[in-house]
Amino acid sequence: MPDRLAPRRAVAPEPGAGQQTAFGRPESVPGSFSDDRPRMPARPVPPPPPEALIRAFGPGTTGGRGLQEPPSGRPGRRRTAAGPWWKSDARSDPWRDPYAPAGLGAPAVYPDEAAEQAGPIVVDPKGRRKVRLADVSVRLSALILLAVLLVGAVGGGVGWFLTRATPESPLLSPDTTLTQVDPGITREPGSVSAIAAEVMPAVVSIEVRVGQGGATGSGVVIDGDEGYIVTNNHVVSGADDVEGAEIRAVFSDGSGSEARIVGRDPASDLAVIKVEKPGLVTAALGTSESVVVGDPVVAIGSPLGLAGTVTSGIVSALERPVRLGGEGSDTNAVISAVQTDAPINPGNSGGALVDTTGALVGINTAIASLGGNGTTGGSIGLGFAIPIDTVRDIAEQLISTGSAVHSSLGVNARSVTDGTRDGALVLNVEPGSAGAEAGLREQDVIIAVDGDPVGSSEELVVAVDRHDPGEEITVEVVRGGSSQELRATLDAA
């Protein structure tokens, strides 16, 4: 039986007729390739070296290997053992004969010079000094240990003696007097401290109690002889015509007095109360025309019930339309406010905003907050005050008649924009109102009043309220893609 695992010669199968036709050699071609194929040029044969080079560098005998003998035919007589040339082993030196066999020798061995040195201090091959503890004598080791212990004992004894010998100072020292220095501080006129000292007596805290609830605010004395105090409507509106409600004014000296409501104006968020306490300090009233953006101002009031709080800042903007709506109040006002960055918080309402002369330029009324709630939010540097000219006009009307009169166009509107122009879209027109008589219609967009641009419903209210009842104004509207002007005589509201 033949061995199945023995190597066998592979025998290629005979090609078929189709393979022979496709891959076979044509009958007209005698060899593997055609005779007319391109051929590589033959390598040139270098010429033989000159005879002088053969005699100088060639081997001594035909077929010989290695180096030739010196020119004299034998080694020189004065060759020494250290001579570099023609030693007895020159023919087998691999650095002389490239055909000599190569071999590895034993690894290099370096003597431990430090081990041969005597004593505890030795020098290593790199020149560094080292201490061999094995060579340190027992006597020397004991001497070093005793020296360390002696130094520690002496240091500890000295420290203990010093702590026992130095007496402790007493905790109490009777009749001690601290050094007092008088720096001689000079406060210039117009400083915040000087303004606060002048205006503080004219600013009061207002406490309102209704049943079990209550609220606090601020107010400013505008007539000390008669006891009139101006404040915000939303501060005292909850106590008007409510049985058992109480309003109390607390002054800077800590005294207090019961107050009564003289009049309220929800359309401007102003109110006047009266106390029966003669000889009050009256605030000096300024003018709105004297206020410009960037003027320093000081706010004084009772934020969060903290009476007599003073903050300072500047006038950030003027004639800022701000809509007011006090929570739990009938206030529904739009004011042309003085904007300030003086910190104002809940409780500052009704307080004073004064300039560097101490003149009242506004009544602090509202703040803007990130949460959108000016009642519970804190100051973020956006406070609003009613301008003093508006305060004076409304306060005089409230003291005279108990109510205030405003101009009215008789339309309800909301703010709109088309991307290029802003305006106030008329939603409805009251029948028989000034707007109806002027020909205003729903879907009209009011863009100007007496030539002053109107960009929102708040600006429309401010522009109308700037005029007196019975005054005729020009209203520019956009209707059907084109603008036109209408004349309207304002009503009293």
Side-chain angles (χ1 to χ4, degrees), residues 406-484:
H406 296 270
S407 299
S408 174
L409 187 60
V411 298
N412 292 325
R414 66 178 177 88
S415 304
V416 293
T417 181
D418 60 0
T420 59
R421 176 179 289 184
D422 302 330
L425 175 66
V426 177
L427 299 179
N428 58 69
V429 182
E430 297 179 9
S433 64
E437 295 294 333
L440 282 172
R441 304 175 186 174
E442 295 181 2
Q443 303 304 312
D444 285 348
V445 179
I446 301 176
I447 59 174
V449 171
D450 272 354
D452 297 327
V454 171
S456 63
S457 59
E458 289 80 10
E459 292 185 10
L460 175 61
V461 175
V462 171
V464 171
D465 195 51
R466 192 178 294 124
H467 299 81
D468 295 330
E471 188 175 344
E472 187 178 64
I473 61 174
T474 301
V475 181
E476 184 178 357
V477 301
V478 175
R479 179 186 300 170
S482 61
S483 63
Q484 55 182 296

Side-chain angles (χ1 to χ4, degrees), residues 44-418:
V45 179
E51 185 67 23
L53 294 180
I54 295 176
R55 290 197 307 269
F57 300 101
T61 60
T62 303
R65 298 174 64 184
L67 302 177
Q68 297 183 25
E69 297 292 342
S72 59
R74 57 187 177 83
R77 295 180 179 179
R78 300 184 62 85
R79 180 175 65 83
T80 62
W85 304 107
W86 309 113
K87 293 183 179 180
S88 60
D89 60 346
R91 290 186 178 278
S92 62
D93 187 356
W95 296 100
R96 296 174 180 268
D97 186 5
Y99 296 99
L104 296 178
V109 177
Y110 300 95
D112 188 0
E113 298 179 358
E116 298 177 358
Q117 301 179 21
I121 300 178
V122 297
V123 180
D124 62 6
K126 295 185 178 180
R128 296 176 297 187
R129 294 187 176 184
K130 297 183 178 180
V131 178
R132 288 190 301 200
L133 298 180
D135 294 340
V136 179
S137 64
V138 177
R139 291 184 178 181
L140 182 59
S141 301
L143 183 60
I144 294 175
L145 179 60
L146 289 176
V148 173
L149 294 176
L150 180 60
V151 172
V154 171
V158 172
W160 177 84
F161 175 77
L162 293 177
T163 56
R164 300 291 296 178
T166 305
E168 293 183 355
S169 60
L171 292 177
L172 303 179
S173 179
D175 302 328
T176 299
T177 302
L178 301 179
T179 303
Q180 182 177 356
V181 178
D182 185 6
I185 299 175
T186 301
R187 294 180 176 86
E188 299 180 357
S191 64
V192 175
S193 57
I195 297 171
E198 178 182 354
V199 181
M200 190 82 71
V203 180
V204 303
S205 296
I206 298 178
E207 300 175 353
V208 179
R209 292 187 177 275
V210 181
Q212 299 298 322
T216 60
S218 306
V220 181
V221 178
I222 56 175
D223 190 336
D225 295 334
E226 299 294 335
Y228 289 117
I229 300 172
V230 66
T231 184
N232 283 134
N233 175 71
H234 70 263
V235 172
V236 298
S237 61
D240 193 16
D241 296 332
V242 177
E243 185 176 357
E246 180 183 356
I247 302 175
R248 184 175 178 83
V250 181
F251 302 93
S252 59
D253 59 0
S255 61
S257 178
E258 183 180 356
R260 296 174 296 163
I261 296 177
V262 176
R264 300 186 301 110
D265 182 29
S268 64
D269 196 21
L270 288 172
V272 175
I273 61 176
K274 183 177 182 179
V275 296
E276 302 299 331
K277 187 175 182 178
L280 298 178
V281 177
T282 304
L285 305 186
T287 61
S288 297
E289 295 179 355
S290 64
V291 182
V292 298
V293 174
D295 278 351
V297 288
V298 176
I300 304 176
S302 303
L304 306 177
L306 303 175
T309 298
V310 179
T311 57
S312 64
I314 63 170
V315 175
S316 304
L318 294 173
E319 298 182 357
R320 179 77 73 190
V322 177
R323 184 175 294 277
L324 307 176
E327 184 177 355
S329 170
D330 59 353
T331 298
N332 184 19
V334 177
I335 62 173
S336 180
V338 176
Q339 180 180 321
T340 178
D341 67 348
I344 297 175
N345 290 280
N348 272 115
S349 296
L353 185 70
V354 299
D355 60 14
T356 54
T357 67
L360 186 68
V361 296
I363 294 296
N364 299 321
T365 300
I367 61 174
S369 62
L370 295 178
N373 189 343
T375 303
T376 59
S379 172
I380 58 173
L382 293 174
F384 306 99
I386 302 174
I388 186 59
D389 286 357
T390 302
V391 174
R392 180 187 293 105
D393 179 44
I394 299 300
E396 289 176 351
Q397 294 185 56
L398 294 178
I399 293 173
S400 300
T401 64
S403 62
V405 178
H406 296 270
S407 299
S408 174
L409 187 60
V411 298
N412 292 325
R414 66 178 177 88
S415 304
V416 293
T417 181
D418 60 0

